[in-house]
């Protein structure tokens, strides 16, 4: 059972979650609960680091950020003790979550869960601080934002759990972010492939790595509410009926920027040089477009996370002589809207309908990117939410979700 930040934000909510954990234990389940930092704790710790340093050292950042989860975990154990349950809290390191050494976005290499198994065998409720592990160099690491989901799935896989329940502040995975689309509907089931695309394109309800992990290790994943008892959304293997829904969900993100390198030579090796410079600068490049302009010159545009824009521009400025580009421009006011659906594979016309809908809203498309089950457009950030609502209406997603519920 994993509980997110909002679900443990204050003493009342910690007690509510302790009640949910106790209920499961009383039913006879063996319970391992992973908890996130309370409320906005992680954001506050990040801000605090930037108050004392312009470029906080990543190793020390992990020491700092990992404390948020540790606090929740100890408090949860205390709340369970008061209900008469024996509970033991563990840091990521104590839980045996071994990662690589990439501070602030470490990858889990292995889970050595012996200590947790012993605690479970001794009939304790086991509590684990999410979002963190220990590197092979024995340093504390964190797993990237939203990383407690990944901790939970990794532990579920290592322990051979029957299910990994991700408890959060919404009732499941919806057809779109319910904060943006008030009539978004809960999806009863979503395939791994769809969920991967949704998570990658901005649906923060599950972290991308947690979905990858669940798919690779066959962990049954159930996203549900911390506050209500109803069934949420199951993330499962794709079944044939899932293809009936052409579009199942819309994801969006507003924290992106676009860079254009114009007037580079249209010859082999240029794109490679641009991308190598960015990779060396630690920049994650997404959607890439290249087009040939006049006189054997080409323009390259691509998107990067907003908080990596400065590093990206610095890397490219350092290449000015080598690349001999005419101009380097950027736009920090963009966002992305993505339609996802397993049925897109076999149904033409989705792109046409998507673009018609945006045209009717007078929204200009700057870039387009697709996979077999996804279409993404880059548009102005201020138009993102309007685009999401218009598309949700046009594809009638609320009724689509209800239809899925009935199969
Ligand atoms: P937690 O703190 O429990 O990890 P998060 O804030 O990380 O919770 O994720 C839950 C939030 O994800 C919801 O409050 C919701 O606003 C947002 N969200 C975005 N897209 C979706 C979606 N398709 N379905 C459900 N929630 C979504
Ligand atoms: N507390 C961390 C974050 O905010 C991890 C998590 O909540 O999953 O990103
Ligand atoms: Mg989260």
């Amino acid at each position: 059972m994993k509980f997110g930040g909002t679900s443990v934000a204050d003493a009342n909510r910690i007690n509510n979650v302790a009640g949910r954990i106790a209920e499961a234990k009383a039913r006879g389940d063996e319970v391992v609960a992973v908890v996130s930092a309370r409320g906005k704790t992680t954001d506050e710790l990040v801000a605090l680091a930037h108050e004392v340093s312009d470029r906080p050292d990543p190793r020390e950042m992990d020491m700092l950020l990992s404390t948020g989860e540790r606090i929740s975990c100890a408090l949860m154990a205390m709340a369970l003790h008061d209900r008469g349950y024996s509970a033991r809290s563990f840091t990521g390191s104590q839980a045996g979550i071994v990662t690589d050494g990439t501070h602030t976005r470490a990858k889990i290499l292995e889970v050595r869960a012996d200590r947790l198994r012993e605690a479970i065998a001794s009939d304790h409720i086991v509590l684990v601080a999410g979002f963190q592990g220990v590197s092979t160099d024995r340093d504390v690491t964190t797993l990237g934002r939203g990383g407690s989901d990944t901790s939970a799935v990794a532990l579920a896989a290592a322990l051979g759990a029957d299910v990994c329940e991700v408890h959060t502040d919404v009732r499941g995975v919806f057809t779109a972010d319910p904060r943006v689309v008030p009539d978004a509907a809960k999806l009863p089931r979503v395939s791994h492939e769809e969920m991967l695309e949704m998570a990658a394109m901005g649906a923060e309800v599950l972290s991308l790595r947690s979905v990858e992990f669940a798919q690779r290790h066959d962990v049954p994943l159930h996203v549900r509410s911390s506050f209500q008892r109803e069934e949420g959304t199951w993330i499962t293997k794709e079944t044939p009926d899932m293809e009936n829904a052409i579009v199942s969900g819309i994801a969006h993100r507003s924290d992106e920027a676009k860079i254009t390198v114009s007037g580079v030579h249209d010859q082999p090796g240029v794109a490679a040089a641009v991308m190598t410079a960015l990779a060396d600068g630690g920049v994650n490049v997404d959607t890439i477009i290249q087009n040939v302009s006049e006189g054997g010159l080409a323009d390259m545009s691509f998107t990067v996370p907003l908080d990596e824009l400065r590093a990206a521009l610095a890397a490219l400025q350092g290449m000015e002589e080598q690349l001999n580009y005419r101009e380097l421009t950027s736009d920090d006011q963009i966002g992305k809207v993505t339609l996802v659906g397993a049925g897109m594979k076999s149904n033409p016309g989705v792109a046409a309908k998507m673009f018609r809908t945006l045209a009717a809203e007078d929204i200009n498309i700057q870039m387009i990117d697709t996979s077999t089950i996804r279409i993404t457009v880059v548009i102005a950030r201020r138009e993102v939410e309007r685009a999401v609502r218009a598309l949700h209406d046009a594809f009638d997603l609320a009724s689509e979700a209800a239809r899925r519920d009935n199969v």
Side-chain angles (χ1 to χ4, degrees):
M1 301 173 87
K2 179 260 176 178
F3 296 90
T6 326
S7 312
V8 294
D10 56 32
N12 270 337
R13 289 189 177 179
I14 289 178
N15 270 307
N16 166 62
V17 167
R20 297 296 292 267
I21 296 172
E23 243 170 62
K25 179 70 180 165
R27 255 195 328 259
D29 293 341
E30 295 175 326
V31 185
V32 174
V34 172
V35 284
S36 291
R38 290 164 305 147
K40 300 248 167 282
T41 302
T42 309
D43 291 334
E44 287 161 11
L45 291 172
V46 171
L48 187 58
H50 287 281
E51 275 178 37
V52 298
S53 166
D54 285 339
R55 293 179 57 203
D57 178 73
R59 179 186 183 276
E60 304 311 325
M61 199 68 178
D62 280 350
M63 281 297 276
L64 179 69
L65 296 189
S66 59
T67 61
E69 271 63 18
R70 203 167 159 157
I71 293 171
S72 307
C73 203
L75 292 173
M76 193 62 71
M78 295 174 195
L80 282 159
H81 294 158
D82 278 15
R83 290 172 181 262
Y85 288 85
S86 66
R88 286 276 165 90
S89 65
F90 297 90
T91 63
S93 169
Q94 289 175 313
I97 298 178
V98 180
T99 72
D100 65 12
T102 321
H103 285 291
T104 75
R105 45 181 177 211
K107 280 208 174 81
I108 297 178
L109 299 175
E110 193 190 343
V111 181
R112 299 181 191 148
D114 310 347
R115 226 178 139 186
L116 301 192
R117 279 193 204 94
E118 280 166 25
I120 296 168
S122 309
D123 209 30
H124 297 303
I125 292 174
V126 171
L127 299 165
V128 179
F131 175 55
Q132 56 185 274
V134 61
S135 72
T136 44
D137 293 334
R138 287 173 294 161
D139 279 324
V140 173
T141 50
T142 64
L143 307 177
R145 300 305 305 267
S148 296
D149 298 334
T150 316
S151 310
V153 177
L155 286 171
L159 295 166
D162 297 316
V163 59
C164 179
E165 293 188 345
V166 173
H167 296 251
T168 183
D169 58 1
V170 283
R171 292 180 293 115
V173 179
F174 281 64
T175 48
D177 187 341
R179 284 186 228 190
V180 173
V181 182
D183 65 344
K186 184 176 77 183
L187 292 158
R189 287 179 308 128
V190 176
S191 72
H192 289 120
E193 290 78 8
E194 289 173 319
M195 197 62 231
L196 283 171
E197 297 280 16
M198 300 239 327
M201 300 319 290
E204 71 199 276
V205 59
L206 281 176
S207 77
L208 178 60
R209 289 236 184 103
S210 72
V211 186
E212 285 171 355
F213 222 100
Q215 182 175 32
R216 193 153 10 102
H217 296 273
D218 258 332
V219 177
L221 191 53
H222 184 193
V223 181
R224 61 192 308 187
S225 166
S226 294
F227 308 105
Q228 285 160 288
R229 276 167 183 72
E230 64 181 73
E231 283 265 307
T233 302
W234 287 89
I235 316 298
T236 61
K237 287 203 173 69
E238 186 180 314
T239 53
D241 61 279
M242 283 181 174
E243 286 202 40
N244 295 341
I246 299 171
V247 176
S248 35
I250 304 178
H252 71 278
R253 60 186 332 148
S254 300
D255 51 352
E256 301 255 325
K258 184 177 79 171
I259 294 179
T260 302
V261 189
S262 35
V264 288
H265 286 287
D266 185 22
Q267 64 189 37
V270 171
V274 169
M275 289 304 140
T276 305
L278 292 165
D280 292 347
V283 178
N284 290 290
V285 177
D286 201 17
T287 314
I288 306 172
I289 289 184
Q290 180 178 312
N291 43 289
V292 179
S293 57
E294 74 281 7
L297 295 177
D299 297 338
M300 246 180 114
S301 296
F302 46 84
T303 61
V304 297
L306 188 56
D307 59 5
E308 292 176 17
L309 175 61
R310 264 173 59 190
L313 290 174
L316 292 168
Q317 275 148 6
M319 297 281 289
E320 190 167 359
E321 261 174 40
Q322 189 189 332
L323 288 173
N324 196 20
Y325 50 74
R326 188 171 358 114
E327 204 183 7
L328 177 64
T329 52
S330 65
D331 180 353
D332 61 4
Q333 295 295 320
I334 61 148
K336 285 182 182 170
V337 175
T338 299
L339 292 187
V340 176
M344 263 184 218
K345 288 186 278 235
S346 40
N347 285 281
V350 180
K353 183 165 172 182
M354 180 182 197
F355 302 163
R356 272 201 310 274
T357 306
L358 295 174
E361 290 285 323
D362 208 22
I363 293 174
N364 188 44
I365 301 170
Q366 302 180 23
M367 295 165 100
I368 300 163
D369 186 26
T370 65
S371 80
T372 45
I373 62 163
R374 158 178 79 79
I375 305 175
T376 300
V377 293
V378 173
I379 60 177
R381 180 171 308 141
R382 65 187 143 73
E383 293 172 336
V384 164
E385 297 199 351
R386 192 156 55 89
V388 172
R389 285 189 284 267
L391 291 165
H392 198 272
D393 263 0
F395 284 90
D396 203 12
L397 292 193
S399 354
E400 272 295 331
R403 261 199 291 286
R404 241 190 213 215
D405 215 354
N406 291 328
V407 293

